[in-house]
Amino acid sequence: MKRYLTIIFIFLSVIFIISGIRLDLYWSGIAGWGLAFVCLIFAAYYSKYIPNERKRRKSKL
């Protein structure tokens, strides 16, 4: 499940940015970009759980 969190957080950041721009309220753009930035930090953190194909091939040899 952790390998899919990177993709989930990237999609959440896109949704936050689009909704922040579309709402057109006073602080919605800043809040949207802030939430998107936090989601991208989490996406970068969970990217270490994506399996590396090179390590799998070397371990099989």
Side-chain angles (χ1 to χ4, degrees):
M1 179 62 187
K2 288 183 181 179
R3 69 190 326 190
Y4 300 115
L5 285 175
T6 300
I7 297 169
I8 291 169
F9 280 123
I10 289 173
F11 284 133
L12 278 175
S13 66
V14 170
I15 290 170
F16 286 143
I17 291 171
I18 290 172
S19 65
I21 292 172
R22 292 251 179 193
L23 285 177
D24 200 30
L25 297 174
Y26 188 66
W27 285 99
S28 64
I30 295 171
W33 280 101
L35 288 172
F37 183 71
V38 170
C39 284
L40 289 175
I41 289 173
F42 280 123
Y45 174 75
Y46 284 110
S47 68
K48 68 181 180 181
Y49 293 108
I50 297 174
N52 191 354
E53 293 298 323
R54 290 184 186 175
K55 289 182 181 178
R56 283 187 180 178
R57 282 191 228 147
K58 287 182 181 179
S59 65
K60 288 182 180 179
L61 293 176

